[in-house]
Amino acid sequence: MEETASAVSIMGETAVVGMKDGYLYGIDLRTGKNIWKCELDELIEGDMDHFQVYPKWLPVCGENMIYIAAGNTLYALR
């Protein structure tokens, strides 16, 4: 799997993480298997130097939705 481009957020039994390959992934916490992915073009970024210190994108979970700001776009996924 690619390097992460975001911090990990937990939604129920799913870990949600953005990866440098441009996808947001849902990982089953019990099995560790990928259960879904969603393409987010803005996650692909040339300047990845500061990810170890401060992830640029943070998926936030609430109200059965996942919110992630990437580039100039705010995604809301159900």
Side-chain angles (χ1 to χ4, degrees), residues 48-67:
M48 296 288 190
D49 295 337
H50 303 289
F51 278 113
Q52 307 310 324
V53 179
Y54 179 74
K56 186 172 181 178
W57 303 285
L58 173 64
V60 176
C61 303
E63 301 294 323
N64 293 320
M65 299 282 288
I66 300 165
Y67 302 93

Side-chain angles (χ1 to χ4, degrees), residues 7-12 14-17 24-25 36 58-68 77:
V8 176
S9 294
I10 305 299
M11 184 172 180
T14 305
V16 179
V17 62
L24 187 68
Y25 288 89
W36 57 262
L58 173 64
V60 176
C61 303
E63 301 294 323
N64 293 320
M65 299 282 288
I66 300 165
Y67 302 93
I68 185 168
L77 308 167

Side-chain angles (χ1 to χ4, degrees), residues 5-7 10 13-14 19-20 23 26-29 39 42-43 48-51 53 57-58 65 71 73-75 78:
S6 77
I10 305 299
E13 297 293 318
T14 305
M19 307 299 279
K20 288 185 181 180
Y23 287 91
I27 309 297
D28 185 292
L29 289 174
E39 185 174 16
E42 289 85 353
L43 286 179
M48 296 288 190
D49 295 337
H50 303 289
F51 278 113
V53 179
W57 303 285
L58 173 64
M65 299 282 288
T73 304
L74 175 64
Y75 293 90
R78 184 173 296 239

